[in-house]
């Protein structure tokens, strides 16, 4: 008998689950219904900035027109789930339909975090998450004018690059002392700062946004920083991180992680044996993962479970991060902030254009992680040695 899987959300991770399950389910044991909040099928959100650099929505789409055929897989666009009846095992959609399920996977992703500073909701303020967001930014952008990005992490750098592609003069405001504080130390960030400022970006690190200031007509006039700096602008992009989309947790009676997200075990299962959560909305044993690679591993794990295969618990070890914007190469892999008593840190190159640092266990020499900035090393190759003894030519790999 065919069973029904309902997937709530159709981002990159939700699409990965559907793709994997369809490949593995050769006998057609599962019928899949996907409830997508957006009006567009899943697309490569990692490459979202390329949408402002000539790529079309079709170029970034993850599935072809025939991926959803209506029999084995049914995609409903602009049709989010609004409630779930766990006892009856049904999902109610925004259109009022009720869909019965045998298994339910929550892949609702995350929402942009907008700091509650005065003026954050003025006309001229945007977030950086979807095609619709970028269409709105494109319409508001004015070449040659300044634009301000709040947040200097990966997402903030993506947003600053987008403004640059639109011909604007981008400012980045970051509360930490340097860019990409979650991945880089001061040495690696110095290389990044040197390169991006050389391309015209203006950095304001170690300061916060005090307010977004308004004109008389209610549009953005500028931004005031906590150090007293005032930036003139008519366009502000908030890219200060994300928060899990776990709105359904409370009405469903499901537990949330301490920092949000649907609480799941190492197999991405909630305390309801029929319900899983994957991707950014999942708090796996208390931790949410904001990168796509761990999300893909969660999706693969759940697909294996749904097809009766044995699985190992998800450990969240894949933290590889790479930035390739502005012609700048930056990468971090494995542990980038192990405790002082847990690792020996070795810097192989340090200067204005190159930086390479690794962390090794002092007792065994096992590679725990590291970071690269500038024209150094093959990050993917180095990442493959995390948890193992690095090769004898480690220095050459780092500096090549």
């Amino acid at each position: 008998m065919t069973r029904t899987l309902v997937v709530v959300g159709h981002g990159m991770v939700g699409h990965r689950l559907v793709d994997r399950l369809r490949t593995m389910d050769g006998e057609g044991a599962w019928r899949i219904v996907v409830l997508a909040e957006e009006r567009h099928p899943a697309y490569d959100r990692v490459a979202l900035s390329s949408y402002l650099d000539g790529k079309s929505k079709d170029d970034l789409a993850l599935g072809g027109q025939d991926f959803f055929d209506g029999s084995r897989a049914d995609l409903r666009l602009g049709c989010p789930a609004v409630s779930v009846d766990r006892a009856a095992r049904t999902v109610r959609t925004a259109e009022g339909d009720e869909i019965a399920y045998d298994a339910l996977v929550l892949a609702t992703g995350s929402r942009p975090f907008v700091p509650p500073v005065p003026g954050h909701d003025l006309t001229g303020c945007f977030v950086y998450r979807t095609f619709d967001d970028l269409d709105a930014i494109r319409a508001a952008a004015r070449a040659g004018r300044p634009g301000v990005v709040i947040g200097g992490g990966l997402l903030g750098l993506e947003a600053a690059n987008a403004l640059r592609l639109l011909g604007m003069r981008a400012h980045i405001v970051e509360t930490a002392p340097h860019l990409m504080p979650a991945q880089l130390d001061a040495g690696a960030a110095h290389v990044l700062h040197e390169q991006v400022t050389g391309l015209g970006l203006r950095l304001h690190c170690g300061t916060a946004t005090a307010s977004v200031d308004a004109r008389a007509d209610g549009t953005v006039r500028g931004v005031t920083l906590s150090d007293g700096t005032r930036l003139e602008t008519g366009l502000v992009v908030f890219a200060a991180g994300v928060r899990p989309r776990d709105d359904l947790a409370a009405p469903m009676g499901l537990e949330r992680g301490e920092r949000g997200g649907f609480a799941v075990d190492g197999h991405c299962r909630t305390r309801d044996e029929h319900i899983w959560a994957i991707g950014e909305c999942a708090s796996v044993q208390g931790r949410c993962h904001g990168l796509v690679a761990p999300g893909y591993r969660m999706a693969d794990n759940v697909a294996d479970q749904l097809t009766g295969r044995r699985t190992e618990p998800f450990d969240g070890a894949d933290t590889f991060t790479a930035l390739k914007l502005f012609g700048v190469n930056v990468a971090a892999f494995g542990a980038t902030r192990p405790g002082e008593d847990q690792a020996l840190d070795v810097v192989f190159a340090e200067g204005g254009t190159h930086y390479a640092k690794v962390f090794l266990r002092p007792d065994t020499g096992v590679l725990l992680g590291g970071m690269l900035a500038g024209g150094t090393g093959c990050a993917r190759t180095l990442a493959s040695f995390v948890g193992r003894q690095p090769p004898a030519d480690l220095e050459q790999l780092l500096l090549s």
Side-chain angles (χ1 to χ4, degrees):
M1 180 179 294
T2 301
R3 293 176 289 173
T4 298
L5 166 66
V6 174
V7 180
V8 180
H10 191 226
M12 296 177 72
V13 172
H15 182 82
R16 171 72 169 229
L17 170 66
V18 176
D19 189 23
R20 176 87 167 182
L21 183 58
R22 287 194 60 175
T23 299
M24 299 171 66
D25 182 24
E27 298 181 357
W30 287 98
R31 174 178 175 264
I32 308 168
V33 179
V34 181
L35 304 178
E37 183 175 43
E38 289 190 58
R39 298 177 292 108
H40 312 285
Y43 50 89
D44 186 355
R45 206 182 299 274
V46 174
L48 189 59
S49 290
S50 65
Y51 176 58
L52 298 177
D53 196 25
K55 294 278 189 178
S56 69
K57 292 175 182 176
D58 287 342
D59 292 333
L60 296 178
L62 296 180
Q65 294 295 322
D66 58 348
F67 186 84
F68 291 93
D69 56 16
S71 56
R72 290 187 58 193
D74 178 20
L75 172 63
R76 304 189 185 186
L77 296 174
C79 184
V82 295
S83 64
V84 176
D85 185 331
R86 287 172 47 205
R89 284 195 224 159
T90 59
V91 179
R92 180 177 291 276
T93 74
E95 297 177 348
D97 295 329
E98 281 197 353
I99 304 169
Y101 66 84
D102 297 283
L104 174 65
V105 176
L106 303 165
T108 49
S110 61
R111 63 166 56 85
F113 170 65
V114 178
V117 297
H120 69 274
D121 54 354
L122 292 173
T123 300
C125 290
F126 304 90
V127 294
Y128 194 89
R129 183 70 179 170
T130 68
F131 281 140
D132 291 344
D133 294 333
L134 266 63
D135 283 336
I137 291 170
R138 192 202 312 261
R142 298 293 180 267
R145 297 287 296 162
V148 175
V149 175
I150 310 300
L154 281 169
L155 188 62
L157 287 166
E158 288 274 357
N161 187 51
L163 296 187
R164 181 170 168 265
L165 292 172
L166 293 168
M168 300 194 74
R169 295 182 283 115
H171 294 257
I172 300 178
V173 179
E174 169 56 49
T175 57
H178 58 74
L179 298 176
M180 292 182 65
Q183 293 85 18
L184 304 182
D185 66 7
H190 175 73
V191 175
L192 178 59
H193 284 215
E194 288 290 310
Q195 297 194 33
V196 299
T197 55
L199 294 170
L201 271 74
R202 295 157 177 82
L203 305 182
H204 307 269
C205 296
T207 186
T209 304
S211 64
V212 180
D213 308 320
R215 294 188 177 92
D217 63 358
T219 61
V220 172
R221 174 175 60 85
V223 173
T224 299
L225 306 184
S226 58
D227 63 6
T229 301
R230 293 186 177 181
L231 305 175
E232 178 192 351
T233 186
L235 188 153
V236 175
V237 180
F238 286 98
V242 296
R243 297 293 184 268
R245 289 284 304 272
D246 56 7
D247 312 66
L248 291 172
M252 290 175 66
L254 295 178
E255 296 177 3
R256 297 170 68 248
E258 185 177 342
R259 297 187 177 182
F262 299 100
V264 296
D265 62 17
H267 292 281
C268 300
R269 192 193 298 267
T270 69
R271 63 185 179 88
D272 185 320
E273 64 178 355
H274 301 287
I275 302 175
W276 290 257
I278 57 176
E280 293 174 314
C281 71
S283 177
V284 185
Q285 297 179 330
R287 180 184 174 190
C288 292
H289 298 267
L291 301 173
V292 71
Y296 280 173
R297 289 177 54 209
M298 294 182 212
D300 293 348
N301 188 301
V302 173
D304 287 343
Q305 294 175 60
L306 293 174
T307 52
R309 290 167 170 79
R310 291 189 60 185
T311 62
E312 295 295 326
F314 169 80
D315 62 10
D318 191 348
T319 58
F320 181 84
T321 303
L323 172 71
K324 290 186 178 179
L325 295 173
F326 321 107
V328 179
N329 293 313
V330 174
F333 53 91
T336 58
R337 277 171 178 73
E340 292 182 3
D341 59 339
Q342 298 174 325
L344 172 69
D345 58 287
V346 182
V347 178
F348 282 91
E350 189 168 10
T353 59
H354 298 81
Y355 187 89
K357 184 176 186 177
V358 294
F359 296 96
L360 307 171
R361 283 192 63 91
D363 52 347
T364 64
V366 165
L367 180 64
L368 299 175
M371 62 191 72
L372 306 170
T376 54
C378 177
R380 275 291 182 192
T381 300
L382 289 162
S384 69
F385 287 100
V386 171
R388 299 188 288 147
Q389 286 273 355
D393 63 344
L394 173 61
E395 184 172 359
Q396 183 178 346
L397 282 174
L398 285 165
L399 302 179
S400 61

